[in-house]
């Protein structure tokens, strides 16, 4: 396919060059026709000039003959006059009259001779001028003819090279077409073999499924409940856990690098804009902000170090659950310190953007982008706070064994995945607004090259941060089933695994390994446990009906649609509640203002009364504590409840309500997770089966289409080659004929010019 696409691109380029050459050929044809018309017009003008020249030459000959006659007559008259003077005869009246007549005639002839001389001179000058113009035009035509000849020679060589290249391409395409035909035949043969093998495998699998089903129905299902063999699953789970931790480690390293770059470039930008620290002193607020940003490595680097320790603690010889992962607490502590660092620099970030808005050249668009960035920074900080809470909840079971049940753990992991997606969206939005802000800043007249470079680096760090958070969110969502799985929970118990049980499980794992090795040595023909389990899963999944899977998928889709509708409904309710809360806050503020205006100076007395009331509450609490009735604070995922043992009826009622709702929420969450996991599992299985079924058909169709396209391309290229060759031959013949005619015309013009030169010299 790649060779075919390369040939198509080459021939598209050749077609473009051919169209260009064809357009140039049309231009040359037009130029040749124009030159032929100019040559014909010049020939006509030359003929006219030759005729006028011949007329002038005839006039000159007649005038010279007449001049000679007149000169002879003048000589005769002079001789007669001399003879008469020598004789000395006294002139008579008749002689005087004759002399006067001769003098007048001579004067006229002299004037006529002068006029003819002037005309002859003018004709000679005009002839020379015309001859010079014709020579200039002849030289110009010769140059044009040489240029046209050079263009024609270049086109001839180019066309010859193109023809040779097309012929070589044609030969190569023929060879490639033959190879493609052979490959297509081989692919068809392999496809037929694969189809036969597929049919044989299907029949064999059906036979094995029937046989295995009968064995499973007659015998006990192959699901060993002994503790020795059950612990063999630990190795697969540990390998999966270590693989997931390794992927997360690479993502955490990328995240740490991106955060370090972002904070460092932000510090550089604070020193450059709105005031350059190398020229003038920046504001105290930005100085403090820069000092805090300079300490970012002390908060960011421990994230990578603590997660590296967590990754190193996950080995094949350990049991990895939330209750046994002690190093997760260190990562949670470091993440909390980084979140506190973000909360500490948040007001400085907002104030720094406000200072940029107060700059003299800050436009309205730049001010709007700064406000959007302020909201984005607040959103990112709040998302990091949520992540901190969820990570602390996940690290809690390693400190307290009964801290959180399995259902709540699954809910925390689900919320953590959603929070990671929210972080990616927030950073993506902030990167987009920073890009728009950078475009607006480049148009300002006071922007320096140093600021532009720092802004580009900052945008690059934001891009890498966006990419890294997106990868982390996708990775966590893809492995959410693994995180929310029950892991190593004991049989018949919903409680989590404690470290003592983990140690016993490791011991059982070693015993199971030794047992399996012994069994392998005793019976080498036996099927391994993992292979048997995988075969059992394949057989079980293959026996499920397609209609049942389709119904379950439809039910899951309907449930998802219903949940989306409920989500939209509760979002609208939340918005309405927010609007009502704002109205109530506004009304309370107005009432407080009115109350403050009405009471005036009674504020001090109210403060004293409030202090007395607070002291009274503290004294009451101290009394309750002294009496052994200390108030208790109950927290859960549903809410927070503070109870005292004074009223046992109320506390028991609230405890029953709380336990009922918590149980209900746990059941609903479990059902939702089970249905979602089943839907995802069935969907993936159906999609994999459909892909496997369509691979052979797609490959056969693609090969047949490739063969058809190759044949079509070969025929098309052959037609194009024949057409191009024919057109090139026609053009070459036309150009050769035209060159012959031009050469004949030039030779005739040279001969005429030579004759004119010889005539002018004579």
């Amino acid at each position: 396919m790649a060779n075919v696409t390369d040939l198509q691109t080459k021939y598209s380029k050749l077609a473009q060059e051919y169209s260009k050459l064809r357009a140039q050929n049309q231009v040359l044809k037009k130029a040749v026709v124009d030159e032929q018309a100019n040559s014909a017009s010049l020939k006509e003008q030359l003929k006219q000039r030759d005729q006028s020249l011949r007329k002038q030459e005839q006039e000159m000959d007649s005038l010279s003959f007449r001049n000679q006659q007149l000169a002879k007559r003048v000589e005769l008259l002079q001789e007669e006059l001399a003879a008469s003077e020598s004789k000395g005869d006294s002139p008579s009246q008749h002689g005087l009259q004759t002399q006067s007549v001769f003098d007048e005639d001579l004067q006229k002839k002299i004037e006529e001779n002068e006029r003819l001389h002037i005309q002859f001179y003018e004709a000679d000058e005009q002839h020379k001028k015309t001859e010079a113009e014709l020579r200039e035009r002849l030289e110009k035509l010769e140059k044009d003819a040489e240029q046209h000849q050079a263009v024609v020679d270049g086109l001839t060589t180019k066309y010859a090279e193109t023809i040779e290249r097309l012929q070589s391409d044609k030969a190569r395409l023929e060879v490639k077409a033959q190879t493609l035909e052979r490959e297509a035949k081989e692919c068809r043969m392999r496809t037929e073999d694969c189809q036969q093998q597929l049919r044989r495998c299907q029949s064999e699998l059906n036979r094995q499924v029937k046989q295995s089903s009968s064995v499973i129905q007659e015998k006990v299902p192959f699901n060993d409940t002994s503790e020795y063999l059950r612990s063999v699953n630990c190795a697969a789970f540990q390998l999966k856990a270590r693989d997931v931790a390794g992927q997360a480690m690479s993502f955490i390293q990328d995240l740490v690098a991106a955060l370090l770059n972002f904070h460092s470039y932000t510090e550089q930008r604070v020193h450059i804009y709105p005031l350059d620290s190398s020229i003038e002193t920046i504001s105290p607020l930005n100085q403090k902000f820069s000092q805090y940003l300079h300490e970012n490595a002390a908060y960011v680097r421990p994230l990578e170090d603590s997660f590296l320790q967590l990754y190193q603690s996950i080995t094949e010889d350990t049991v990895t659950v939330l209750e046994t992962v002690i190093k997760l607490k260190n990562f949670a502590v470091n993440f909390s310190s980084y979140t506190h660092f973000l909360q500490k620099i948040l007001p400085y970030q907002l104030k720094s953007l406000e200072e940029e808005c107060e700059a003299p050249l800050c436009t309205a668009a730049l001010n709007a982008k700064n406000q959007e960035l302020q909201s984005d920074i607040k959103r990112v900080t709040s998302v990091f706070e949520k992540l901190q809470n969820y990570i602390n909840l996940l690290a809690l079971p390693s400190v307290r064994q009964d801290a959180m049940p399995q259902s709540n753990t699954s809910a925390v992991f689900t919320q953590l995945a959603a929070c990671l997606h929210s972080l990616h969206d927030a950073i993506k939005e902030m990167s987009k607004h920073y890009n728009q802000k950078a475009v607006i800043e480049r148009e300002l007249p006071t922007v320096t090259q140093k600021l532009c470079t720092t802004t580009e680096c900052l945008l690059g760090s934001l891009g890498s941060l966006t990419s890294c958070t997106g990868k982390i969110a996708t990775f966590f969502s893809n492995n959410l089933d693994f995180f929310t799985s029950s892991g190593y929970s004991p049989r018949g118990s919903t409680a989590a695994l404690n470290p003592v049980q983990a140690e016993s499980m490791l011991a059982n794992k070693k015993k199971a390994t030794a047992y399996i090795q012994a069994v392998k040595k005793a019976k080498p023909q036996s099927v391994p446990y993992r292979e048997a389990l995988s075969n059992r899963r394949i057989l079980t999944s293959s026996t499920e009906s397609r209609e049942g899977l389709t119904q379950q998928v439809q039910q899951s889709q309907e449930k998802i649609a219903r949940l989306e509708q409920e989500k939209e409904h509760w979002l609208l309710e939340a918005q309405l509640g927010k609007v009502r809360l704002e109205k109530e806050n506004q009304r309370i503020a107005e009432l407080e203002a009115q109350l403050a205006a009405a009471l005036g100076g009674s504020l001090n007395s109210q403060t004293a009364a409030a202090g007395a009331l607070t002291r009274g509450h503290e004294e009451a609490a101290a009394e309750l504590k002294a009496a052994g009735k200390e108030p208790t604070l109950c927290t859960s995922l549903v809410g927070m409840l503070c109870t005292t043992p004074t009223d046992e009826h109320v506390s028991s009622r609230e405890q029953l309500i709380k336990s009922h709702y918590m149980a209900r929420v746990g059941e609903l969450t479990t059902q939702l997770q089970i249905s979602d996991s089943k839907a995802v599992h069935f969907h993936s299985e159906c999609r994999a089966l459909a892909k496997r079924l369509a691979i052979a058909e797609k490959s056969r169709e693609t090969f047949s289409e490739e063969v058809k396209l190759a044949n079509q391309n070969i025929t098309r290229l052959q037609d194009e080659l024949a057409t191009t060759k024919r057109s090139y031959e026609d053009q070459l013949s036309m150009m050769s004929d035209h060159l012959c005619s031009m050469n004949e015309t030039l030779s005739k013009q040279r001969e005429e010019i030579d004759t004119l030169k010889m005539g002018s010299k004579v």
Side-chain angles (χ1 to χ4, degrees):
M1 287 299 292
N3 295 327
V4 174
T5 54
D6 293 338
L7 289 173
Q8 289 179 355
T9 53
K10 288 182 181 178
Y11 277 97
S12 63
K13 291 180 180 178
L14 286 174
Q16 292 177 0
E17 292 181 0
Y18 173 69
S19 62
K20 290 180 182 178
L21 293 174
R22 191 171 182 181
Q24 293 176 1
N25 193 12
Q26 294 294 332
V27 174
L28 288 174
K29 281 184 180 180
K30 188 175 180 182
V32 169
V33 172
D34 294 339
E35 291 298 330
Q36 288 178 354
N38 291 330
S39 178
S41 63
L42 287 174
K43 285 181 180 179
E44 292 295 330
Q45 291 179 5
L46 190 61
K47 287 180 181 179
Q48 292 176 2
R49 296 295 171 85
D50 289 339
Q51 291 176 1
S52 62
L53 186 61
R54 290 193 189 96
K55 287 181 182 179
Q56 290 176 1
E57 287 178 353
Q58 291 175 2
E59 289 179 357
M60 286 175 63
D61 292 337
S62 63
L63 288 173
S64 61
F65 180 72
R66 184 65 177 167
N67 194 8
Q68 290 176 2
Q69 288 180 351
L70 290 173
K72 290 179 180 179
R73 189 174 179 183
V74 168
E75 288 177 357
L76 291 173
L77 289 173
Q78 287 178 354
E79 289 175 356
E80 289 177 359
L81 180 60
S84 64
E85 287 179 353
S86 63
K87 288 179 181 181
D89 295 338
S90 58
S92 61
Q93 187 69 26
H94 179 71
L96 292 172
Q97 291 178 355
T98 305
Q99 186 68 29
S100 63
V101 170
F102 284 157
D103 291 337
E104 290 177 359
D105 193 7
L106 182 60
Q107 186 68 30
K108 288 180 181 179
K109 295 300 181 182
I110 289 169
E111 291 177 356
E112 186 177 359
N113 195 9
E114 290 178 355
R115 183 173 55 79
L116 289 173
H117 274 292
I118 291 169
Q119 289 179 358
F120 178 75
Y121 180 74
E122 291 177 354
D124 192 12
E125 290 293 330
Q126 189 175 3
H127 174 68
K128 290 179 179 178
K129 186 177 179 181
T130 306
E131 186 178 0
E133 290 177 356
L134 289 174
R135 283 179 180 175
E136 289 179 358
R137 294 195 68 179
L138 183 61
E139 290 176 356
K140 186 177 180 181
L141 288 172
E142 287 178 352
K143 290 180 181 179
D144 292 340
E146 290 176 356
Q147 291 178 358
H148 289 313
Q149 184 64 32
V151 171
V152 169
D153 294 338
L155 289 174
T156 304
T157 55
K158 193 172 183 179
Y159 290 157
E161 292 175 356
T162 306
I163 289 170
E164 291 177 358
R165 189 168 63 252
L166 288 173
Q167 287 176 353
S168 63
D169 290 341
K170 178 185 176 183
R172 190 169 61 253
L173 282 173
E174 288 177 353
V175 174
K176 191 169 287 187
Q178 292 176 0
T179 55
L180 287 173
E181 287 178 356
R182 287 197 298 270
E183 290 177 358
K185 289 179 181 178
E186 293 176 358
C187 290
R188 282 197 293 269
M189 293 172 65
R190 285 200 300 269
T191 305
E192 292 176 357
D193 294 338
C194 291
Q195 288 178 353
Q196 292 177 1
Q197 291 178 4
L198 180 63
R199 286 193 291 269
R200 287 196 298 269
C201 289
Q202 286 179 351
S203 61
E204 183 68 21
L205 286 174
N206 290 327
R207 185 183 63 78
Q208 290 180 3
V209 165
K210 290 179 181 178
Q211 184 178 359
S212 301
S213 300
S214 62
V215 170
I216 289 169
Q217 289 175 1
E218 293 173 0
K219 308 292 182 180
V220 179
F222 190 76
N223 191 5
D224 197 353
T225 58
S226 64
E227 291 295 329
Y228 292 110
L229 294 179
R230 186 171 61 85
S231 61
V232 178
N233 292 328
C234 300
F237 191 87
Q238 283 300 120
L239 290 174
K240 177 67 174 177
R242 185 166 178 81
D243 185 22
V244 170
Q247 296 178 17
M249 182 66 205
S250 63
F251 292 140
I252 290 295
Q253 289 175 350
D254 296 339
L255 179 65
V256 167
L259 288 174
L260 287 173
N261 291 331
F262 175 68
H263 292 312
S264 301
Y265 291 131
T266 305
E267 180 186 358
Q268 293 180 14
R269 180 180 169 84
V270 167
H271 283 286
I272 297 171
Y273 189 79
L275 297 176
D276 195 349
S277 60
S278 61
I279 301 174
E280 46 189 330
T281 306
I282 60 177
S283 63
L285 185 138
N286 280 337
Q287 290 179 1
K288 197 71 175 176
F289 184 34
S290 174
Q291 181 182 356
Y292 286 151
L293 287 174
H294 192 68
E295 301 171 355
N296 68 87
Y299 298 97
V300 180
R301 290 290 183 190
L303 294 176
E304 182 179 357
D305 298 337
S306 58
F307 202 87
L308 180 60
Q309 295 175 2
L310 173 62
Y311 170 65
Q312 291 174 353
S313 66
I314 300 173
T315 60
E316 295 182 3
D317 297 331
T318 58
V319 176
T320 303
V321 290
L322 290 177
E323 289 78 9
T324 60
V325 181
I326 308 295
K327 300 296 183 180
L328 184 59
K329 183 63 179 176
N330 297 331
F331 179 74
V333 171
N334 293 324
F335 196 87
S336 300
S337 64
Y338 177 69
T339 307
H340 294 154
F341 169 72
L342 290 179
Q343 292 173 354
K344 182 171 66 174
I345 66 173
L346 177 61
Y348 294 98
Q349 285 179 309
L350 301 179
K351 290 293 183 181
S352 178
L353 291 173
E354 289 179 1
E355 283 191 6
E356 291 184 10
C357 295
E358 292 173 359
L361 294 178
C362 183
T363 60
L366 193 57
N367 192 0
K369 293 301 171 188
N370 287 332
Q371 292 178 359
E372 290 177 353
L373 283 174
Q374 286 179 345
S375 62
D376 292 337
I377 292 168
K378 292 179 183 177
R379 182 184 174 190
V380 169
T381 307
S382 65
V383 173
F384 268 103
E385 291 176 1
K386 290 182 181 178
L387 284 174
Q388 172 198 350
N389 295 329
Y390 290 131
I391 293 173
N392 288 332
L393 284 174
L394 292 176
L396 195 59
S398 62
V399 181
R400 294 173 53 190
Q401 299 301 324
D402 54 350
M404 189 165 47
Q406 180 65 29
S407 59
N408 293 346
T409 304
S410 302
V412 171
F413 274 116
T414 306
Q415 294 297 325
L416 182 59
C419 195
L420 287 172
H421 283 287
S422 300
L423 178 63
H424 171 62
D425 296 337
I427 294 177
K428 184 178 180 182
E429 195 72 17
M430 186 168 66
S431 177
K432 182 181 75 173
H433 291 157
Y434 246 116
N435 277 297
Q436 295 172 357
K437 179 184 176 181
V439 172
I440 297 171
E441 283 181 350
R442 289 193 193 99
E443 299 175 357
L444 296 178
T446 58
V447 173
T448 60
Q449 184 63 31
K450 185 164 61 172
L451 178 61
C452 292
T453 305
T454 306
T455 305
E456 289 294 331
C457 295
L458 184 61
L459 292 176
S461 64
L462 276 173
S464 60
L465 191 60
T466 304
S467 175
C468 181
T469 52
K471 290 178 182 178
I472 291 174
T474 306
F475 160 75
F476 204 88
S477 298
N478 292 336
N479 293 283
L480 190 59
D481 293 337
F482 173 73
F483 292 137
T484 56
S485 62
S486 59
Y488 299 112
S489 60
R491 292 276 178 102
S493 174
T494 58
L497 188 70
N498 55 30
V500 177
Q501 292 174 344
E503 292 178 1
S504 64
M505 184 178 290
L506 290 175
N508 290 333
K509 176 185 175 183
K510 293 178 181 178
K511 293 179 181 179
T513 305
Y515 172 76
I516 289 174
Q517 290 177 356
V519 168
K520 283 183 178 179
K521 290 179 181 179
K523 296 179 180 180
Q525 292 83 11
S526 63
V527 180
Y529 183 74
R530 293 181 184 176
E531 185 178 354
L533 286 179
S534 62
N535 291 335
R536 180 179 178 276
R537 283 195 295 268
I538 293 170
L539 291 172
T540 306
S541 61
S542 62
T543 54
E544 293 179 354
S545 63
R546 186 179 298 175
E547 295 178 357
L549 292 175
T550 307
Q551 291 178 0
Q552 290 180 2
V553 170
Q554 291 178 356
Q555 291 175 2
S556 301
Q557 290 178 353
E558 291 174 358
K559 192 171 183 179
I560 290 168
R562 187 170 65 253
L563 290 173
E564 289 291 335
Q565 292 177 359
E566 292 179 358
K567 177 184 174 184
E568 295 293 333
H569 171 70
W570 288 114
L571 284 175
L572 291 174
E573 290 290 336
Q575 291 178 359
L576 291 174
K578 188 176 180 181
V579 172
R580 291 170 185 166
L581 180 61
E582 290 177 355
K583 289 182 179 180
E584 289 294 328
N585 289 333
Q586 186 177 3
R587 188 172 63 82
I588 290 169
E590 291 176 356
L591 291 174
E592 287 178 354
Q594 293 176 3
L595 184 62
L599 295 178
S602 62
L603 182 61
N604 295 326
S605 62
Q606 288 180 359
T607 306
L613 185 59
T614 306
R615 287 193 297 271
H617 283 296
E618 292 177 354
E619 292 175 356
E623 291 177 358
L624 287 172
K625 187 174 182 180
K629 297 178 179 180
E630 185 177 355
T632 59
L633 183 64
C634 299
T635 59
S636 66
L637 292 176
V638 177
M640 182 182 295
L641 179 65
C642 182
T643 61
T644 57
T646 55
D647 193 354
E648 296 180 355
H649 177 71
V650 176
S651 63
S652 61
R653 179 175 174 274
E654 290 177 352
Q655 188 68 26
L656 287 173
I657 293 171
K658 182 180 121 177
S659 60
H660 170 71
Y661 279 112
M662 286 296 294
R664 185 60 180 164
V665 168
E667 290 176 0
L668 292 175
T669 306
T670 306
Q671 291 177 3
L672 179 61
Q673 290 175 356
I674 291 170
S675 61
D676 290 340
S677 61
K678 283 183 178 180
V680 171
H681 177 68
F682 293 150
H683 177 67
S684 62
E685 282 190 356
C686 292
R687 186 169 58 187
L689 290 173
K691 285 183 179 179
R692 289 174 185 173
L693 184 62
I695 283 173
E697 293 293 331
K698 285 184 179 179
S699 61
R700 184 173 60 81
E701 291 176 358
T702 51
F703 285 137
S704 61
E705 288 178 358
E706 287 177 0
V707 172
K708 289 180 182 178
L709 290 173
N711 292 327
Q712 292 176 0
N713 288 327
I714 290 169
T715 55
R716 181 174 58 81
L717 291 172
Q718 288 177 354
D719 296 337
E720 289 181 357
L721 182 61
T723 306
T724 307
K725 187 176 180 181
R726 196 182 307 113
S727 62
Y728 284 166
E729 290 176 354
D730 296 339
Q731 290 174 6
L732 288 173
S733 63
M734 289 173 63
M735 293 297 289
S736 60
D737 296 338
H738 178 64
L739 286 174
C740 292
S741 63
M742 289 292 291
N743 290 327
E744 291 177 358
T745 305
L746 289 173
S747 62
K748 288 180 181 179
Q749 288 180 356
R750 288 194 186 96
E751 290 176 358
E752 290 176 357
I753 289 168
D754 293 336
T755 54
L756 288 173
K757 287 180 181 179
M758 294 297 293
S760 62
K761 288 180 181 179
V762 172

